[in-house]
Amino acid sequence: MRKHFAWLAALKSKTFWGFAGLFIALFMIFLYLTFPFDAITSYAVQKIESQGNFRVEIEEMSPFRLTGVSIKGLQVRDAEDRRKVFLTMDEIRVRLRPTQLLLGRLWVDFDIYAYDGGVAGSYCFHRGIHDVAMDFVDLNLSKYGTKEVARKFGSFDLAGVIGGAVAASLHPKQRRNNSGTVSLNFDRLRVMNIDLVGKKFPDLTFEPSRASLTLKNQTLQVNEFNLKGNHIELLLDGSLRINQSQPTSSRANLTVKFKPSEEFEDALGVVAMALGEPNEEGFYTKRVNQRLALKGTE
């Protein structure tokens, strides 16, 4: 008799877990079939284009892991001149965590593949607060064109690898509570074929270096930024005033100090006269206080 009851209990347990598994499978299929891929993509495109004079182009979009979406061939261009490309991404994978919705949180994990490297991170929206965390891995700077970066003054080619991490908590209604950190690592950084203000400069090769910044209120403060190269040493201090509603209208208030080699200083020629006199350590100082302007690459 006891064996009979034990058999019935085991049968009920198996039946229960069988129905539970079937319910979960059907629920996941329901999420897959009803997940608003088009709506999310349209919202993302609209959000990016609203930040400036941009046009977003997507090569392909498809479902990814039931509650996710994969976007391939994303490019952000100038709305009027499509030859100017601001950003190119090979693939973006975004996944929603349905269980977090039960807790009142919108939680999205994402992976971005671009410039021979990638970015992995997450975004969470809860009680009006935006939390973002990202890790940068082996982004190849040579894959990003630099023609437009200094177009008004000349041109140069950039090479090297960048990595690091970003973590931020943004409070749209109480921006004084904004906080975050930015840590970036530069390796094998090189600046080549430099042609500025009609003058040729020697190629620059920099030692491995690190940049550290802190976000408080609406200000991104530079804590550490020192690039030491064969022909120039560059120090950066100051802050960036972030405009959350219009990031491209953010403002820089920076002090740039650089110490050139004799060869680099000779290439500057009369331009060096406009920089004033270097200090006792040989550093020139230049102050930058202006609105940021995002440029594209052709």
Side-chain angles (χ1 to χ4, degrees):
M1 182 67 70
R2 291 180 179 177
K3 291 183 178 180
H4 181 69
F5 282 122
W7 179 80
L8 287 176
L11 180 62
K12 289 180 179 180
S13 177
K14 290 180 181 179
T15 303
F16 170 78
W17 288 113
F19 278 113
L22 178 62
F23 173 78
I24 293 174
L26 292 174
F27 178 69
M28 296 304 291
I29 292 174
F30 171 78
L31 287 178
Y32 179 79
L33 294 176
T34 60
F35 194 75
F37 299 108
D38 293 339
I40 290 178
T41 302
S42 298
Y43 174 78
V45 169
Q46 181 183 5
K47 195 68 174 178
I48 295 174
E49 292 183 341
S50 67
Q51 299 301 316
N53 192 28
F54 303 140
R55 176 181 176 83
V56 178
E57 298 179 0
I58 295 176
E59 181 180 321
E60 179 185 342
M61 183 190 69
S62 60
F64 176 70
R65 292 185 182 177
L66 296 179
T67 61
V69 61
S70 172
I71 300 174
K72 295 183 179 180
L74 182 143
Q75 286 192 331
V76 181
R77 300 176 178 271
D78 187 290
E80 299 176 355
D81 186 354
R82 70 182 313 273
R83 295 175 302 172
K84 294 183 179 180
V85 181
F86 301 119
L87 191 65
T88 299
M89 296 183 181
D90 300 327
E91 184 178 6
I92 303 174
R93 294 177 179 177
V94 182
R95 302 177 301 281
L96 177 68
R97 295 191 187 184
T99 55
Q100 291 294 323
L101 293 176
L102 301 176
L103 301 175
R105 299 189 184 102
L106 172 62
W107 192 307
V108 177
D109 296 314
F110 57 87
D111 297 291
I112 301 173
Y113 302 89
Y115 307 115
D116 290 344
V119 180
S122 63
Y123 164 79
C124 179
F125 179 74
H126 180 55
R127 294 181 179 178
I129 302 173
H130 304 268
D131 289 314
V132 182
M134 295 183 288
D135 289 317
F136 300 87
V137 181
D138 296 335
L139 296 179
N140 190 342
L141 295 176
S142 65
K143 295 295 183 178
Y144 185 81
T146 54
K147 289 183 179 180
E148 292 291 328
V149 174
R151 184 163 187 169
K152 293 181 180 180
F153 309 100
S155 63
F156 60 87
D157 293 321
L158 192 63
V161 176
I162 184 173
V166 173
S169 181
L170 306 177
H171 302 243
K173 294 183 179 180
Q174 295 181 327
R175 297 182 180 181
R176 64 179 180 275
N177 293 330
N178 289 346
S179 62
T181 58
V182 178
S183 178
L184 301 176
N185 303 305
F186 303 95
D187 190 22
R188 302 188 297 277
L189 182 61
R190 297 180 62 201
V191 186
M192 305 157 291
N193 305 318
I194 308 171
D195 186 350
L196 299 176
V197 291
K199 295 182 177 295
K200 299 286 186 179
F201 292 86
D203 292 348
L204 305 177
T205 302
F206 293 93
E207 299 175 1
S209 56
R210 179 175 177 270
S212 174
L213 303 93
T214 302
L215 173 65
K216 188 175 181 180
N217 298 337
Q218 298 182 73
T219 301
L220 194 61
Q221 181 69 41
V222 179
N223 299 324
E224 177 186 356
F225 192 97
N226 185 357
L227 291 177
K228 189 173 183 179
N230 56 339
H231 287 293
I232 192 171
E233 183 175 358
L234 181 65
L235 302 174
L236 187 64
D237 190 17
S239 62
L240 300 174
R241 183 73 172 177
I242 307 299
N243 186 330
Q244 286 182 216
S245 59
Q246 194 83 10
T248 53
S249 297
S250 299
R251 191 170 190 86
N253 185 8
L254 303 169
T255 298
V256 183
K257 295 181 179 180
F258 64 97
K259 181 180 180 180
S261 66
E262 291 185 5
E263 183 179 353
F264 197 91
E265 193 167 14
D266 289 341
L268 284 172
V270 295
V271 176
M273 298 177 61
L275 299 174
E277 292 292 330
N279 62 16
E280 295 179 355
E281 298 177 339
F283 282 93
Y284 290 92
T285 301
K286 177 66 176 177
R287 302 190 185 281
V288 179
N289 188 355
Q290 63 183 39
R291 185 177 68 84
L292 299 180
L294 182 63
K295 298 294 183 180
T297 59
E298 293 184 358

